[in-house]
Amino acid sequence: MTRLQLRATTSDESPPSPRGQRVRDAVMEQAGRHPDRPAVICGNDTLTYGELAAVASSLARTLDADGSASGRTGILSHRTVSTVALALGVWLSGRSFVFLDPAAPEDTARHVRSSSGVSVVLDPLTGGTGDRAPRGCGAGIGDP
């Protein structure tokens, strides 16, 4: 099983963001300060803070431009760097998300989507989206 890691600052780097700061704001702050440093590592794949911010910002703009993407967003919870980028992008758009089990039986998946108010589902592995999905929501960052 591949382990997903989010990089934290070490003692020789800038101090962590103030307590109570939103995760999305802290990540974007780090992207501004250290765009070339690793932010997300999953197996052999790494996203720098700059790459993470670029992918997430692009998704946020896409979601903002598409009225059908209002409401909660589902993200298939594959262990990839793209999953983290999609989650950050949804947060940057001001929406909430629900992680969905990609191995769940269809009846279960349909129930979870319906009961949680999911209006669009993003798949970080394929870059594909579910019904009523805005165009261009795929992560597009080299995941298998």
Side-chain angles (χ1 to χ4, degrees), residues 52-73:
L52 177 60
V55 172
S57 296
S58 176
L59 173 62
R61 284 190 300 275
T62 300
L63 290 171
D64 287 342
D66 192 300
S68 68
S70 62
R72 189 163 289 137
T73 301

Side-chain angles (χ1 to χ4, degrees), residues 88-107:
L88 180 60
V90 171
W91 274 338
L92 289 174
S93 75
R95 292 168 176 77
S96 60
F97 65 85
V98 174
F99 281 122
L100 302 170
D101 181 357
E106 184 54 37
D107 288 346

Side-chain angles (χ1 to χ4, degrees), residues 13-99:
E13 297 175 352
S14 302
S17 297
R19 184 179 178 98
Q21 185 177 24
R22 292 180 178 177
V23 171
R24 68 180 188 197
D25 297 333
V27 171
M28 297 306 281
E29 182 180 307
Q30 286 292 50
R33 281 195 225 161
H34 309 292
D36 296 327
R37 290 189 179 169
V40 184
I41 301 169
C42 184
N44 293 327
D45 295 326
T46 300
L47 273 183
T48 65
Y49 279 103
E51 292 167 332
L52 177 60
V55 172
S57 296
S58 176
L59 173 62
R61 284 190 300 275
T62 300
L63 290 171
D64 287 342
D66 192 300
S68 68
S70 62
R72 189 163 289 137
T73 301
I75 301 174
L76 294 180
S77 60
H78 297 288
R79 290 181 181 228
T80 70
V81 295
S82 294
T83 302
V84 177
L86 293 177
L88 180 60
V90 171
W91 274 338
L92 289 174
S93 75
R95 292 168 176 77
S96 60
F97 65 85
V98 174
F99 281 122

